[in-house]
Amino acid sequence: MHRAKVVFAFAGLSLLEAASAAMLSSGAVSSFSIGAHDFFPGIVYVLAASLTTFALVLIGPKIGSLLEHPMSLFSAMALCGAGLFSFALGPQSQFSILSLSLFSCGCTILLLYWLELLTAFPPLELTLVVIGASASDSITTYAVNTINQELPSCAFCLLMSFACIVLVDKRRTMQEADEPDTQDRAIGLDRRSLIGVFAGLLIIGLSAAYSQQLALEGGVTLPAYPAISQALVFVFMLCLLYFNRDIDLATALKVIATLASLSLLLLLFSDAYRYAAYSVSSIAYGILAYSALYVSVLVAKSHSNIRLRILALTQCVLSFSAPFFIVIALLGVDISNRVFLFAIAFFLACASIWLLSDRSIDMLTSSSQPLADNGRKADFSAKARAVADHVGLTPREFDIFSLSIMGRSAPFIAENLVISENTVKSHLQRIYTKCGVHSRQELISLVENHER
């Protein structure tokens, strides 16, 4: 394991998030109104990020990869620098919204550059990066809430994140020169399922953002970035990714949907619970963001030809709430109306039911067997048998092992073998231990690279 690379990666991601939080906490941009609704600077930042990612979704196939265009990295820094420079000249000026938009565009490109770098990380290292970033965010969020020099802190965090990018990118280049390319694995998920998953995630993210917007409209005076919420996100991601040794996306979605529903219920009960609803929805959105980051990187690893489009589309879905709320406000719809609130809750319930009942979502994090002909299938099966014999798998473990390396989820294996999901997970833990791996992706790589 490349420990230094992992540390630089999660530190760089966390510093980039800290730079954004410091900018939004600086008061450089004041709130503004559209119709009867007050919007905070954060929605301008998210709107610019949404438009940037949407543009990259459209032109992604032409660009190929940001890593192939180093100038994209320096262009992103130039956009961030332009935004910071204009803020330094005159906070809350007539150009402040434009400056924040430029800063957001730059940070979004930097984030996508980071995500493309993460596609070169093995699954275990990627897991540690996500856990480390969620832990660091709770610390940096606390610092942002207590510091009084937001703009200098923003510039410092941005420069440190850029330095981490350069270091990780240099290590990636050296590693690619020393190691041969490996074949990408295709993920077995059809277009209909993929569209459904993205639509469901969009609605769940929209519900969490809706709770946040209503809470902010209520004039909350407590910190806009609760450190305790970030700490709870870290605890959940630690349990989800590390102790399970493989991401359980269905469990993550259950928790996210439950928290989003709870925040909506709090808003329905009383306006006195607005900040509580905001904090709960912040936890839901944090878990959603990190889960989406992890899954999108795994999916992008298997589709190098559309890697940028996959990563940009995921971030576009997460930031869809900003254009949605602004359009709604321009149409004169009162989003604080109880009818609108019930409508959001209904769509959330429908999305949750679809996502939690459709097992194809589990395939998002499961690499399928990349075999095109019978000869290669036979070779892969022979390697699987050789690995099983070498590590001493029992017949039942071999049955589960065989289905797992084909990308089958725990619910599918349980149904196919007529055993419980807990039994499947227990067997998988023993299989991972015997094989010396930590995830399904490493298990598949072990079989593919086995020399008979």
Side-chain angles (χ1 to χ4, degrees):
M1 181 190 299
H2 300 85
R3 292 185 177 86
K5 185 176 68 171
V6 170
V7 172
F8 286 137
F10 78 67
L13 280 171
S14 182
L15 287 165
L16 182 61
E17 180 67 23
S20 302
M23 171 60 74
L24 294 174
S25 300
S26 66
V29 180
S30 58
S31 60
F32 60 96
S33 299
I34 297 180
H37 301 290
D38 294 324
F39 290 102
F40 282 70
I43 202 163
V44 176
Y45 183 95
V46 178
L47 177 62
S50 179
L51 296 176
T52 303
T53 51
F54 182 72
L56 288 172
V57 168
L58 296 179
I59 65 175
K62 295 181 179 180
I63 295 178
S65 170
L66 292 177
L67 302 182
E68 298 173 359
H69 304 280
M71 284 304 299
S72 64
L73 183 60
F74 295 98
S75 299
M77 288 298 294
L79 288 171
C80 292
L84 279 171
F85 181 72
S86 59
F87 281 134
L89 290 178
Q92 296 189 0
S93 67
Q94 57 181 334
F95 301 109
S96 58
I97 291 180
L98 175 61
S99 301
L100 182 59
S101 300
L102 291 176
F103 183 83
S104 175
C105 290
C107 285
T108 302
I109 296 172
L110 287 175
L111 175 60
L112 292 173
Y113 200 98
W114 262 121
L115 296 182
E116 284 209 65
L117 284 176
L118 292 181
T119 59
F121 282 50
L124 176 58
E125 291 184 1
L126 176 61
T127 297
L128 294 177
V129 168
V130 173
I131 293 173
S134 62
S136 299
D137 276 352
S138 61
I139 298 172
T140 54
T141 299
Y142 177 78
V144 166
N145 290 338
T146 56
I147 201 167
N148 294 321
Q149 299 294 325
E150 288 89 355
L151 288 181
S153 299
C154 175
F156 174 78
C157 290
L158 192 63
L159 288 173
M160 289 299 99
S161 180
F162 176 77
C164 289
I165 286 181
V166 173
L167 290 170
V168 173
D169 201 9
K170 182 178 179 180
R171 286 176 174 269
R172 175 190 66 87
T173 304
M174 294 171 59
Q175 184 177 348
E176 287 182 350
D178 295 336
E179 299 177 2
D181 292 336
T182 57
Q183 182 186 13
D184 291 329
R185 291 188 293 273
I187 290 187
L189 191 72
D190 60 28
R191 180 172 295 184
R192 176 181 172 277
S193 297
L194 189 61
I195 292 174
V197 167
F198 272 118
L201 293 177
L202 185 148
I203 294 173
I204 291 177
L206 185 63
S207 301
Y210 175 66
S211 298
Q212 293 176 322
Q213 176 60 30
L214 281 187
L216 292 173
E217 283 193 9
V220 296
T221 57
L222 294 172
Y225 301 96
I228 186 63
S229 297
Q230 292 295 333
L232 291 174
V233 170
F234 159 66
V235 171
F236 179 82
M237 296 307 298
L238 180 65
C239 295
L240 179 70
L241 288 173
Y242 189 76
F243 294 121
N244 276 346
R245 291 191 173 187
D246 211 355
I247 189 169
D248 187 350
L249 191 57
T251 299
L253 289 172
K254 289 176 185 176
V255 173
I256 294 166
T258 300
L259 291 173
S261 300
L262 177 60
S263 66
L264 291 174
L265 286 174
L266 289 172
L267 289 171
L268 280 170
F269 281 136
S270 171
D271 288 344
Y273 297 125
R274 281 180 180 264
Y275 190 74
Y278 175 80
S279 299
V280 171
S281 62
S282 296
I283 299 172
Y285 193 82
I287 297 171
L288 177 64
Y290 279 113
S291 299
L293 183 154
Y294 183 86
V295 172
S296 64
V297 170
L298 285 181
V299 176
K301 283 169 69 74
S302 302
H303 297 83
S304 58
N305 57 325
I306 54 171
R307 182 175 296 165
L308 178 59
R309 173 173 279 189
I310 292 171
L311 297 172
L313 179 60
T314 304
Q315 296 303 312
C316 186
V317 167
L318 292 177
S319 58
F320 176 76
S321 58
F324 175 81
F325 287 131
I326 288 179
V327 169
I328 289 295
L330 290 173
L331 293 175
V333 178
D334 182 10
I335 65 172
S336 61
N337 185 282
R338 288 294 186 264
V339 176
F340 191 85
L341 184 58
F342 275 115
I344 288 288
F346 172 77
F347 283 115
L348 171 63
C350 293
S352 302
I353 291 171
W354 190 93
L355 283 169
L356 299 178
S357 63
D358 189 347
R359 288 179 176 172
S360 64
I361 194 168
D362 290 319
M363 298 295 290
L364 274 171
T365 56
S366 302
S367 298
S368 293
Q369 196 172 321
L371 307 174
D373 53 62
N374 292 332
R376 294 178 62 193
K377 288 180 181 179
D379 182 62
F380 188 82
S381 298
K383 287 184 176 182
R385 170 55 70 179
V387 170
D389 292 341
H390 178 71
V391 300
L393 297 183
T394 66
R396 174 57 80 186
E397 288 172 347
F398 180 73
D399 292 338
I400 295 172
F401 169 79
S402 299
L403 290 171
S404 181
I405 60 176
M406 292 175 63
R408 299 303 186 182
S409 64
F412 180 93
I413 296 173
E415 183 177 331
N416 189 267
L417 299 180
V418 197
I419 55 179
S420 70
E421 286 188 38
N422 287 334
T423 301
V424 172
K425 291 177 180 178
S426 296
H427 279 301
L428 282 174
Q429 293 294 332
R430 287 194 290 272
I431 291 170
Y432 290 165
T433 300
K434 288 183 178 182
C435 293
V437 299
H438 295 81
S439 68
R440 192 193 310 265
Q441 284 70 37
E442 289 186 343
L443 192 64
I444 295 172
S445 297
L446 178 68
V447 174
E448 289 177 337
N449 299 326
H450 183 72
E451 297 293 338
R452 289 183 290 161

